[in-house]
């Protein structure tokens, strides 16, 4: 068997954004296809590894190794940091790189800026879930959306919802930071939405006034515990994973992206498992709904809690790489691998 060492390229954030701009529908379709590949067992997605710091308990860096089969055929790892204190300093909370490895030789062939890839796959996953989990609702798609947490992820989720055919009569906003809420409202106004915009003073007010609720915070533990706030049976995209107390999930229909991954690291679903000693509160995964193995009831709140799978980062990252390569714009680092002769 003959094999060649692939050239090594660096793909900066501007190229990543350029490759993804205006392709929201295709990215959602790619994410859906990757979820199905994962459900079929044609991926490898080991547990994420959390690097934590005793002197900085709010900070962490996470390694997400993964492998995607099918037509994607790529291995790799995302290395993403979350330093909430960055926000006060005027820089984004999260930063990341994605390494792509060649399927045949194992050689890394790209290092990519990945905070945009991470936000993109998160938003595409949320948009896919919002679509699939609202299809069986007699009232159709929710017309009132509320965002709790108004950072980069919230902006990307709104962008992906709007780009995949969602329109809203009302958009609610709530954030502990008045400046962040105001900034997100400004983004919404510039987006050209015709929806009525409301900045809510409390999470309760927003939840009660929304049929679709998006949690995109940096909460470390649950702070929403009143089940009555959800009496109107909204669809909840629990992107930040730790906002809802166990009693809220126990009163809801629950779906995740991957059971084993989501029920760890003290996520809200993990807290339910610890409390009850069971996983019976889960209806299944989004892929179960997509394939008809699970049917979403109408008479309860529906909560989608996606842990965020490395296979999604790889699929989106490989699509970006292919787009940049096809345009002949790869920044190749010559002689990146210099020791290529076994005996010198």
């Amino acid at each position: 068997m003959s094999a060649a060492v692939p050239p090594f390229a660096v793909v900066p954030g501007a190229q990543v954004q350029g490759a993804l701009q205006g392709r929201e529908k295709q990215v959602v379709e790619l994410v859906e296809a990757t979820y199905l590949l994962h459900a079929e067992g044609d991926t490898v997605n080991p547990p994420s590894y959390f690097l934590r710091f005793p002197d900085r308990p709010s900070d962490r860096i996470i390694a997400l190794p993964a492998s995607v089969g099918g037509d994607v055929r790529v291995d790799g790892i995302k290395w993403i940091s979350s330093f909430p204190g960055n926000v006060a300093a005027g820089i984004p909370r999260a930063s990341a790189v994605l390494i792509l490895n060649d399927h045949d030789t194992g050689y890394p062939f790209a290092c990519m800026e990945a905070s945009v890839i991470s936000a993109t796959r998160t938003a595409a996953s949320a948009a896919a879930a919002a679509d699939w989990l609202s299809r069986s609702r007699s009232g159709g798609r929710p017309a009132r959306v509320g965002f709790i947490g108004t950072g980069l992820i919230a902006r990307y989720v709104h962008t992906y919802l709007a780009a995949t055919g969602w329109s809203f009569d009302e958009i609610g906003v709530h954030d502990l930071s008045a400046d962040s809420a105001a900034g997100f409202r400004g983004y919404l106004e510039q987006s050209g939405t015709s929806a009525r915009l409301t900045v809510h003073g409390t999470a309760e007010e927003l939840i009660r006034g929304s049929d679709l609720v998006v949690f995109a915070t940096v909460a470390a533990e649950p702070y929403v515990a009143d089940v009555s706030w959800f009496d109107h049976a909204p669809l909840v995209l629990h992107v930040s994973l730790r906002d809802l107390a166990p009693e809220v999930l126990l009163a809801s229909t629950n779906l995740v992206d991957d059971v084993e991954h989501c029920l760890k690291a003290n996520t809200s679903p993990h807290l339910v498992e610890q409390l009850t000693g069971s996983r019976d509160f889960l209806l299944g995964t989004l892929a179960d709904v997509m394939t008809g193995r699970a049917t979403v009831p109408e008479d309860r709140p529906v909560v989608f809690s996606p842990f965020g799978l490395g296979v999604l980062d790889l699929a989106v990252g490989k699509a970006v790489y292919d787009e940049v390569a096809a345009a002949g714009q790869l920044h190749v680092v010559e002689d990146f691998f210099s020791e290529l002769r076994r005996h010198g």
Side-chain angles (χ1 to χ4, degrees):
M1 182 185 75
S2 63
V5 174
F8 185 82
V10 175
V11 184
Q15 285 190 320
V16 173
Q17 287 181 299
L20 293 170
Q21 189 74 31
R23 293 182 171 87
E24 290 87 358
K25 290 182 179 178
Q26 294 95 316
V27 174
V28 170
E29 291 171 357
L30 174 61
V31 164
E32 291 176 345
T34 306
Y35 273 142
L36 294 177
L37 270 181
H38 183 64
E40 293 163 3
D42 204 1
T43 64
V44 181
N45 206 111
S48 302
Y49 183 84
F50 287 72
L51 176 61
R52 299 186 185 275
F53 313 97
D55 59 329
R56 293 167 284 154
S58 65
D59 299 337
R60 64 192 184 192
I61 309 179
I62 312 170
L64 288 82
S67 175
V68 183
D71 295 332
V72 180
R73 284 173 53 85
V74 69
D75 311 322
I77 188 168
K78 181 175 72 171
W79 182 239
I80 182 166
S81 66
S82 175
F83 281 50
N86 287 352
V87 176
I91 60 176
R93 169 187 62 85
S95 58
V97 293
L98 178 69
I99 302 294
L100 301 182
N101 291 75
D102 180 65
H103 183 276
D104 296 322
T105 66
Y107 271 80
F109 62 87
C111 177
M112 316 176 70
E113 197 286 324
S115 67
V116 170
I117 289 171
S118 189
T120 294
R121 63 85 152 147
T122 300
S125 167
D131 177 26
W132 283 96
L133 300 182
S134 64
R135 289 186 181 188
S136 61
R137 297 203 156 198
S138 56
R141 283 184 165 183
R144 301 180 302 166
V145 65
F147 291 87
I148 298 180
T150 54
L152 179 75
I153 298 299
R155 172 162 61 86
Y156 268 73
V157 170
H158 174 266
T159 297
Y160 265 73
L161 289 171
T164 52
W166 288 75
S167 61
F168 300 102
D169 298 330
E170 301 176 26
I171 300 179
V173 176
H174 172 69
D175 198 290
L176 295 179
S177 165
D179 288 344
S180 184
F184 188 64
R185 177 175 182 145
Y187 151 74
L188 291 170
E189 290 172 342
Q190 293 172 8
S191 74
T193 181
S194 59
R196 181 162 63 90
L197 306 179
T198 304
V199 176
H200 294 279
T202 66
E204 176 184 2
E205 187 179 279
L206 181 142
I207 292 167
R208 289 187 183 275
S210 303
D211 305 310
L212 173 63
V213 181
V214 180
F215 284 95
T217 73
V218 292
E221 58 187 27
Y223 56 92
V224 176
D226 193 330
V227 174
S228 71
W229 295 4
F230 301 85
D231 282 346
H232 56 302
L235 171 57
V236 180
L237 303 178
H238 190 206
V239 176
S240 38
L241 286 174
R242 295 173 177 85
D243 306 82
L244 301 177
E247 48 264 46
V248 174
L249 295 192
L250 287 170
S252 305
T253 295
N254 292 279
L255 295 121
V256 297
D257 52 357
D258 181 281
V259 175
E260 293 297 331
H261 285 80
C262 199
L263 271 65
K264 60 183 56 169
N266 287 328
T267 63
S268 294
H270 188 207
L271 295 180
V272 176
E273 182 186 34
Q274 293 176 63
L275 177 68
T276 64
S278 169
R279 296 179 173 183
D280 291 345
F281 70 96
L282 292 177
L283 177 65
T285 67
L286 181 59
D288 289 333
V289 175
M290 293 170 64
T291 56
R293 290 191 295 267
T295 302
V296 180
E298 289 192 49
D299 57 347
R300 307 182 83 206
V302 176
V303 179
F304 176 60
S305 299
F307 192 78
L309 301 178
V311 293
L312 300 183
D313 296 287
L314 282 188
V316 174
K318 181 59 162 52
V320 168
Y321 175 89
D322 290 343
E323 182 73 21
V324 175
Q329 296 176 345
L330 284 176
H331 297 287
V332 174
V333 180
E334 299 294 343
D335 299 322
F336 184 82
F337 300 107
S338 62
E339 190 67 87
L340 296 176
R341 298 182 62 178
R342 188 174 184 187
H343 301 293

